[in-house]
Amino acid sequence: MLSCQLLPNFFIYATLLRRCTQMKDMMEGKRVHAHIIKSGMQPDIYLGNTLLNMYANTGSVIDTHRVFDKLPQKDVVSWNTMIVGYAKHGYGEEAFRLFHQMQQEGFKPDTVTCTSILKACTGPRALEWGKHIHSHIMKAGYNVDVRIGNALIDMYAKCGSLEAACQVFDVMPERDVISWTAMIVGLAQHGCGEEALQVFEQMRVEGVEPNAVTFVGVLSACSHAGLVEEAYGYFSSMCHQNGISPVGEHYGCMVDLLGRGGHLKEAEDLIKKMPVEADATVWGSLLGACRTHGNVELAECAAENCLQLEPKDAAVYVLLSHIYAAAGMWGSVTKVRNTMKERGIQKEPGRCWIEVENKIHTFVAEDRTHPQTEEIYAELDKLTGQMKEGGYVADTRCVMHDVDEGEREQAICYHSERLAIVYGLISTEPGTPIHIFKNLRVCSDCHTATKIISKIVRREIVARDANRFHHFKDGSCSCGDYW
């Protein structure tokens, strides 16, 4: 067309941009954009939104925002597209800020806006944002239809408020398979395995056909509750009654289940019999189980397979180091560390976050940078003394240094989660729950310590680690010490 000296019009450019979006081809999309600029054409609101959508869906947040800022006209679709782009790529805070800016400029958020923002609600401040959006939905008079209800269930479950997720689920006038699946997955993440299975059975009674994702949730619930026989039953019914062919995620749940239960040989055999090639996540589940049960030989095999698939995964090296350290194999620990240095691989430091009065406070192990450090450490030492009076003995197996027991105990007592919890205790009203977030899996000693702390201070402590939620209350945890 161009070789015939014919200039494309708005419709043709929009068609090309939509095709680039479908193909996820940003480079071709940029070529079309360049043609629009060279032609001197001023995009109307429809073409502008199509261009915005192309960038938002092909992965360039910077280009999306640049186009958004230059749009001569904006409508609700423009704002929604920008918010969806931010949400999709993990920029929750920016999406929430844009939500407020949208209203300040006189645009009324619709249901698409609200569901997009809810999907962006992740991280320490997510629950606050999610509650704000929920309030807006109610004040705006929007019906909590299936789409909005599903987004609210997912948001509340991911943000640690399982009770609110259950309330939304219970009042929904209509539910689809996504509603049921979100509730099952949410319950499983919070350690309520048996409750998740009850919801699944209720789903069956009501005639809703489960899909492959539903069974991932069901098998995950079995894994976190140690329900081995039940998991085999659900795995079989998925294949034979529901006609769903298992994929890597389903096998991963089964390997995780068997590994947690100490059936390491059975888990290894299952991996070898899988009709699909095991990915790094599956081998990683087996490696984690080897750490729990102290199986060095199988851990080395699992780590080798993990690193063949993802050679730069620092978590594998760290897990293997922990297994060697727990076994007192300090020469092997040094060897792993040297390998990491040679390959330029750095361990991700453990961090904890807590939000107090709309401000995020971040801690690392033995952190002394906080303005209230002296008060935090004094309170933590006091708590540690009370814990010891009640029979607490530090589990120092995960300390990664070959030092005497006193130094090992001191190192573990100042882990990031304890510092965050204590800051929450001294900074919030007595009796209020404390919510903390950790980027890695909580260690066994901190898990034990947090249970005891919850009993001493008579507060619920909700901890979100890399894998799941733990609800500590009155000296026990929702996971039943099985995580």
Side-chain angles (χ1 to χ4, degrees), residues 104 206 222 273 281 304 311 327 335 353 355 366 443 471:
Q104 289 168 0
E206 297 197 13
C222 292
K273 294 175 183 176
T281 303
E304 182 182 349
K335 186 178 177 181
W353 297 267
E355 182 186 0
E366 300 184 69
C443 78
H471 294 255

Side-chain angles (χ1 to χ4, degrees), residues 40-93:
M41 181 182 290
Q42 288 297 318
D44 63 1
I45 196 164
Y46 173 70
L47 182 58
N49 287 342
T50 307
L51 186 60
L52 197 62
N53 188 56
M54 184 276 295
Y55 280 119
N57 283 283
T58 56
S60 177
V61 174
I62 294 174
D63 285 314
T64 310
H65 207 145
R66 187 178 292 128
V67 171
F68 180 78
D69 286 341
K70 290 182 179 179
L71 284 178
Q73 288 180 292
K74 297 183 181 78
D75 60 6
V76 172
V77 175
S78 315
W79 289 94
N80 285 351
T81 304
M82 193 67 228
I83 289 169
V84 168
Y86 273 140
K88 184 177 289 187
H89 299 292
Y91 293 90
E93 192 161 345

Side-chain angles (χ1 to χ4, degrees), residues 171-202:
V171 300
M172 285 177 69
E174 185 182 350
R175 305 181 188 119
D176 61 7
V177 64
I178 297 173
S179 319
W180 291 94
T181 300
M183 199 66 251
I184 291 165
V185 170
L187 287 163
Q189 279 187 320
H190 286 263
C192 306
E194 293 186 1
E195 291 88 338
L197 298 183
Q198 288 171 8
V199 171
F200 178 67
E201 293 301 335
Q202 184 185 348

Side-chain angles (χ1 to χ4, degrees), residues 374-429:
E374 289 189 15
E375 191 178 355
I376 292 169
Y377 274 77
E379 182 65 24
L380 180 52
D381 289 340
K382 177 184 171 183
L383 265 177
T384 303
Q386 291 175 296
M387 289 159 59
K388 287 181 177 179
E389 288 174 7
Y392 163 74
V393 178
D395 179 1
T396 59
R397 289 175 299 171
C398 62
V399 177
M400 294 296 294
H401 304 287
D402 187 11
V403 293
D404 64 50
E405 189 62 23
E407 290 178 281
R408 292 162 71 87
E409 184 176 331
Q410 185 174 351
I412 206 166
C413 283
Y414 298 130
H415 273 188
S416 60
E417 44 264 71
R418 300 194 203 190
L419 297 174
I421 289 168
V422 169
Y423 179 69
L425 291 174
I426 65 176
S427 305
T428 58
E429 291 294 322

